[in-house]
Amino acid sequence: MSKRKILEEGRDYSFRSYFELAYEPDEILAEFDYKLIIQELNLPKTTQELLRTSELKQKIKAILPFVSLSNETARRETLVSPLLLEVIRYCECKMRIEYPLRVSNILKGNLDYLLQLKNHFLVIEAKNDDLTRGFTQLAVELIALSQVEEQNIYYGAVTIGDVWRFGKLNRIEQTIIQDINLFRVPDDLDDLTKVIVGILQGVEVEDKF
């Protein structure tokens, strides 16, 4: 299939713009010469014992009946931020919120969350809905980050609070893998936390393709 030109010459595009574009994700990523692969992703998992995740899971289960999750802010404050604060306690990573990143006029905007431990990064894009288009925005953010940092592998996740999907960018192969599996909160909170901490700790895994 021939590459279709999507981005308009001379126009500025923010990260949010890619969420709003009415094109298929693979077509949008092809604009940056990246190939989208959708498959099961072998994610890093820490072997560290995470003692407080059970307590956090019970807290979330207790408050969910009383909190309206009808907007992105509510989802971030109720479900996303408490989890990430626990992650910081486990691995003492840096977390930047609404982190400004500008590479060019077509790669710019704010990253909802950027977690970093030494030379390992995790970008998290929080949405109110639509994981598919949210993943497209996340993928573009990973492309932007890969152009200002020196690593070859970058991980990211898009979440609507109670559901998470991960992705992986390989700069050398110019591929972005979208995981077909989902993590649900609070049920999968233990495994989700182990993956986030594992990514930041740099736990090594082998690709499945």
Side-chain angles (χ1 to χ4, degrees):
M1 181 184 294
S2 61
K3 179 179 174 181
R4 178 159 62 137
K5 186 67 177 174
I6 292 174
L7 303 185
E8 299 176 15
E9 295 284 347
R11 178 181 167 185
D12 286 6
Y13 291 86
S14 68
F15 297 140
R16 172 73 187 188
S17 301
Y18 297 99
F19 178 84
E20 297 170 347
L21 286 177
Y23 294 96
E24 293 297 320
D26 62 320
E27 294 180 309
I28 295 173
L29 298 185
E31 287 283 291
F32 302 97
D33 296 319
Y34 271 82
K35 179 181 179 182
L36 176 65
I37 299 170
I38 301 176
Q39 65 171 40
E40 185 175 4
L41 181 56
N42 192 17
L43 291 163
K45 280 192 176 182
T46 186
T47 57
Q48 178 182 346
E49 187 175 7
L50 308 181
L51 299 175
R52 293 183 294 270
T53 52
S54 296
E55 181 182 350
L56 178 60
K57 181 188 292 187
Q58 293 306 315
K59 286 182 178 180
I60 291 175
K61 283 184 176 181
I63 65 173
L64 277 179
F66 307 102
V67 180
S68 172
L69 300 177
S70 58
N71 60 73
E72 183 180 318
T73 301
R75 291 171 181 268
R76 288 176 62 166
E77 293 188 2
T78 304
L79 298 173
V80 180
S81 293
L83 168 58
L84 297 184
L85 292 175
E86 283 299 312
V87 167
I88 292 173
R89 294 177 67 187
Y90 289 130
C91 60
E92 296 184 345
C93 59
K94 293 180 180 179
M95 181 170 72
R96 306 184 191 279
I97 302 173
E98 294 295 331
Y99 180 69
L101 177 60
R102 182 186 179 95
V103 176
S104 66
N105 287 341
I106 62 172
L107 284 175
K108 62 181 182 178
N110 292 339
L111 309 181
D112 285 346
Y113 300 94
L114 176 62
L115 278 66
Q116 178 182 2
L117 181 60
K118 297 181 180 178
N119 59 346
H120 303 292
F121 297 88
L122 177 64
V123 176
I124 298 173
E125 179 61 34
K127 291 296 183 190
N128 188 43
D129 55 23
D130 203 332
L131 283 176
T132 299
R133 293 202 296 172
F135 188 88
T136 302
Q137 179 177 341
L138 170 70
V140 174
E141 292 170 352
L142 291 175
I143 292 171
L145 185 63
S146 74
Q147 294 189 20
V148 298
E149 298 293 340
E150 298 181 352
Q151 308 309 310
N152 292 323
I153 300 296
Y154 296 86
Y155 286 94
V158 58
T159 179
I160 54 173
D162 53 355
V163 181
W164 289 64
R165 167 168 279 146
F166 284 86
K168 177 182 178 180
L169 178 146
N170 186 315
R171 182 164 60 179
I172 295 176
E173 299 178 358
Q174 291 197 274
T175 57
I176 294 175
I177 302 176
Q178 175 183 307
D179 194 5
I180 61 173
N181 295 318
L182 299 173
F183 291 83
R184 303 186 183 278
V185 174
D187 291 346
D188 301 326
L189 188 65
D190 292 338
D191 286 337
L192 174 60
T193 309
K194 287 180 180 179
V195 167
I196 295 175
V197 175
I199 289 172
L200 293 167
Q201 289 178 338
V203 175
E204 294 188 3
V205 294
E206 293 184 1
D207 289 335
K208 292 187 176 182
F209 76 103

